[in-house]
Amino acid sequence: MSLNLFNLTGKIAIVTGASRGLGQYLARALALAGADLVITSRTLESLQEFTAEIESLGRRVLPLALDVGNHQSIQEMAEAAYSHYGKIDILVNNAGCNVRKPAVDVSWDDWNLVLNTNLRGGFFVAQAVAKKMIPARYGRIINIGSVTTVAGYAGITPYCASRGGVKQMTMSLADDWGQHGITVNCLAPGWFKTAQTKVLYDNEEWVDYLIDRIPLKRVGQPHDLDGTVIFLASDASAYMTGQTLLIDGGISTGATKATV
Ligand SMILES: NC(=O)c1ccc[n+]([C@@H]2O[C@H](COP(=O)([O-])OP(=O)(O)OC[C@H]3O[C@@H](n4cnc5c(N)ncnc54)[C@H](OP(=O)(O)O)[C@@H]3O)[C@@H](O)[C@H]2O)c1
């Protein structure tokens, strides 16, 4: 066994939603493992600082505009990435959003925004990129899930529905594209502190409650996703597809207190 199994030198990785948060954690990890990157956001300006950071690591990086709610934008991103590098090896399908409301207050538009971004958007990005991977008979697609991929929570019903869908989509695409040498897996993070979860982390009582329920007794830190994304993007996971890996300090084990 060689540690070269985890080396991504020469690989081209697209990370969607890399203007902040988990997208940057994941993209940085892939770059440190050797990959050259395509990073995306709806606004190119928000990628400037991170582009410079990745370049300072000695990696090539192509910042591209992408709105996963727009079919044309998805096609243009995949074409631009492919024509720039001549191939796409890895996709991290990370762009996503959430709407926090009691289920009775969720509007038609709330539902469409969350489902169309997290599920429809993820599918069509994967499809556009897979069309480039299939002729090469190689690809690693990593869909970002969540603890809500395997559990439901009050106040975020559309989000949970979208993330449950990501798990099923991952299995279906794995079955469909395995014959072309493409693996499709889901990396499901726990509750990390980012712009999307700021409203929760601003509440110290909630943070104490969360940590109490996490078996490893701490919240996720940026580097906690590094090993898993590199594993799923590399030859180390060559015979694994259709799976969901929860990187959540164990909270999805259902660590509810059963004693007092
Ligand atoms: N934070 C957590 O604890 C956690 C846990 C599990 C899963 N997740 C998931 O992991 C992903 C990243 O989460 P985060 O916490 O880093 O969220 P975040 O800080 O809100 O970042 C979301 C990213 O998605 C992009 N995005 C949103 N809507 C988009 C659209 N229509 N088209 C293209 N890009 C879009 C944003 O880019 P622009 O706004 O720059 O376009 C941004 O880069 C999300 O899918 C989230 O649901 C987060």
Side-chain angles (χ1 to χ4, degrees), residues 12-16 37-40 77-78 81 88 90-93 129:
I12 305 300
I14 298 176
V15 181
T16 67
L37 299 182
V38 176
I39 55 174
T40 81
M77 185 281 295
I88 304 168
I90 299 157
L91 166 66
V92 181
N93 229 338
V129 171

Side-chain angles (χ1 to χ4, degrees), residues 107-209:
S107 70
W108 185 266
D109 287 345
D110 293 334
W111 180 270
N112 285 341
L113 174 67
V114 176
L115 271 290
N116 288 349
T117 304
N118 297 354
L119 193 52
R120 187 182 70 178
F123 171 77
F124 282 101
V125 172
Q127 183 197 60
V129 171
K131 286 179 182 174
K132 307 299 181 191
M133 292 173 164
I134 286 169
R137 297 202 51 77
Y138 183 90
R140 296 274 183 273
I141 296 177
I142 302 163
N143 295 321
I144 299 305
S146 154
V147 288
T148 62
T149 294
V150 295
Y153 294 84
I156 50 170
T157 295
Y159 187 81
C160 295
S162 74
R163 292 293 172 222
V166 165
K167 182 169 189 279
Q168 301 298 324
M169 179 176 82
T170 296
M171 292 191 288
S172 301
L173 295 182
D175 194 28
D176 207 321
W177 295 338
Q179 64 187 309
H180 302 299
I182 299 171
T183 66
V184 187
N185 291 291
C186 175
L187 191 170
W191 307 83
F192 286 69
K193 185 177 179 181
T194 65
Q196 197 182 98
T197 53
K198 183 176 183 306
V199 63
L200 301 172
Y201 277 91
D202 283 348
N203 182 335
E204 280 179 31
E205 213 175 300
W206 181 85
V207 177
D208 289 344
Y209 164 78

